[in-house]
Amino acid sequence: MDGIDLGIPKPRGATRVVVAMSGGVDSSVTAGLLKEAGYDTIGVTLQLYDHGQAVAKPGACCAGQDIRDARRVAERLGMPHYVLDFEERFRRAVIDDFADAYVAGETPIPCVRCNQRVKFRDLLDVARDLGADALATGHYVRRSVGPDGAELRCASDAARDQSYFMFATTPEQLDFLRFPLGDLDKDTTRRHAARLDLAVADKPDSQDICFVPTGGYAAVVERLRPGAVEPGDIVHVDGTVLGRHDGIIRYTVGQRRGLGIGGRSDADDPLYVVRLDAGRHRVIVGPRAALAVDRVEVRDVSWLVAPPSAALAVGVKLRSAQSPARARVEAAAAGRAVLHLDQPQFGVAPGQAAVFYDGDRVLGGGWIAAAG
């Protein structure tokens, strides 16, 4: 039979696949390709929030129009579709964590938390309750099977690869998950959407955090944590106070523009945010050289392989858009690890992820706790 092969040893018509449908083109094409291939498909959409602007924002997911779009696609494909109210779970597991991280001087990645705590945990349980053999999503990553089981790999199209956001996937979850778009590029996905006559074929991609539709995350944090955002000093690394700020939540490590100190620089070297001191409400700034780090401490490490017993050479991504840097990772106690970078890296921000690779395979990753 033509079409996608999920590698499940059952007839396709007897293989039930739950598809996580956000209302966007990627998850819609995932559902369409699986249905076309003959699988018993069921669409599930999680309503994660429903407040004001987020509902009307084109390109956001999991609320309002996006839920209606997912329903329309399921009707077009002739497959069952369920909408589940996960607002309270999403608020506790993702939105509250997002706000607390900014107040603590970190730069969080809520998409990872959503995958880790909602989509690949609670939704996976729903899929099993529905008698599914697999949960499929529209992520651009690949799953392969090696001698020790399922492996997570980068997407074929490096420009669309989302493996950085999937590091917290567990081996048990990866056994159950499938990613049908991992070998496609976005243009091909949209051509499939048009061929399948899906109404979302030309729908724009989401660019913002789904529950921060205007990109104004500071206002969201202030609303969620009233009184927690306090003004403080902007301080040079040499100890000189250069100015004042209205809250560290408006700054991130590596930021150069909008510092609020009148364009001051060290000679010809502009100033950057070097670190955030949440306890003293200080924004520490300095020249670019002050951003360089070659040692990174990582917490809450998730491994998709056996944790190494000795220093392991890896490629590591410290931001989603960067290429992997060469490093050695040492596993430590209490779910921690230490990275020793072959070459200093700049703008390493606590709260971001450090994801370990062996070529195109994801070995694991965790949250940046400190760098120096």
Side-chain angles (χ1 to χ4, degrees):
M1 185 180 289
D2 294 332
I4 294 170
D5 183 0
L6 296 182
I8 297 172
K10 292 173 62 176
R12 292 187 185 183
T15 302
R16 175 164 291 177
V17 183
V18 166
V19 183
M21 299 181 68
S22 67
V25 65
D26 297 328
S27 61
S28 297
V29 169
T30 297
L33 293 177
L34 290 170
K35 180 71 174 178
E36 185 179 55
Y39 290 99
D40 174 16
T41 54
I42 298 175
V44 173
T45 299
L46 303 182
Q47 180 173 314
L48 300 182
Y49 61 92
D50 191 8
H51 46 76
Q53 290 176 306
V55 177
K57 171 75 173 179
C61 72
C62 308
Q65 183 60 45
D66 307 291
I67 292 174
R68 291 189 285 274
D69 286 342
R71 183 176 291 118
R72 289 170 64 198
V73 168
E75 290 173 352
R76 170 71 183 86
L77 297 173
M79 55 185 279
H81 178 249
Y82 302 100
V83 178
L84 305 180
D85 183 354
F86 272 37
E87 284 193 48
E88 180 60 24
R89 271 181 262 197
F90 185 71
R91 182 191 61 77
R92 292 196 311 266
V94 180
I95 298 179
D96 285 350
D97 178 84
F98 172 85
D100 291 339
Y102 266 114
V103 170
E106 297 186 344
T107 306
I109 314 175
C111 293
V112 174
R113 288 299 194 200
C114 184
N115 289 335
Q116 179 184 28
R117 297 178 173 178
V118 180
K119 291 180 180 176
F120 294 164
R121 187 181 67 186
D122 295 338
L123 180 54
L124 193 142
D125 289 341
V126 169
R128 287 199 172 103
D129 289 343
L130 289 170
D133 298 286
L135 171 66
T137 78
H139 289 99
Y140 287 89
V141 293
R142 291 179 299 137
R143 176 189 180 277
S144 63
V145 179
D148 297 320
E151 300 173 352
L152 183 64
R153 296 184 179 274
C154 299
S156 295
D157 181 4
R160 303 298 305 186
D161 176 54
Q162 294 174 300
S163 61
Y164 178 84
F165 302 99
M166 310 281 279
F167 77 84
T169 307
T170 67
E172 294 75 21
Q173 291 167 345
L174 194 57
D175 283 341
F176 196 71
L177 288 164
R178 298 295 189 275
F179 310 107
L181 304 188
D183 287 316
L184 306 184
D185 57 39
K186 190 60 179 243
D187 289 342
T188 302
T189 298
R190 288 199 182 276
R191 286 196 294 271
H192 279 303
R195 179 181 62 80
L196 295 166
D197 194 25
L198 305 183
V200 297
D202 296 321
K203 188 172 182 176
D205 292 340
S206 176
Q207 300 296 324
D208 300 317
I209 297 169
C210 65
F211 57 90
V212 190
T214 64
Y217 68 87
V220 172
V221 175
E222 287 182 305
R223 185 172 71 248
L224 292 170
R225 297 292 181 267
V229 180
E230 297 186 26
D233 291 329
I234 300 173
V235 184
H236 193 278
V237 289
D238 67 9
T240 305
V241 176
L242 303 180
R244 296 280 290 174
H245 65 79
D246 294 328
I248 63 171
I249 64 170
R250 293 173 173 81
Y251 299 83
T252 188
V253 172
Q255 179 179 335
R256 182 168 70 89
R257 300 185 183 279
L259 300 187
I261 50 178
R264 173 170 170 166
S265 62
D266 287 347
D268 295 326
D269 195 354
L271 295 178
Y272 297 79
V273 176
V274 174
R275 65 180 183 275
L276 300 172
D277 184 344
R280 302 171 72 183
H281 308 292
R282 285 184 162 189
V283 175
I284 314 300
V285 300
R288 185 172 185 273
L291 286 169
V293 300
D294 60 10
R295 184 179 187 276
V296 180
E297 297 177 21
V298 187
R299 59 177 170 81
D300 300 331
V301 177
S302 298
W303 290 101
L304 279 165
V305 297
S309 58
L312 177 68
V314 297
V316 60
K317 276 191 173 186
L318 300 169
R319 285 187 180 273
S320 62
Q322 75 169 186
S323 298
R326 299 308 307 170
R328 291 173 295 111
V329 60
E330 296 177 345
R336 301 181 77 87
V338 178
L339 281 165
H340 302 277
L341 299 164
D342 289 5
Q343 299 292 331
Q345 299 296 308
F346 295 82
V348 179
Q352 293 281 290
V355 182
F356 320 139
Y357 294 83
D358 177 11
D360 68 351
R361 184 183 178 186
V362 179
L363 303 178
W367 302 99
I368 296 171

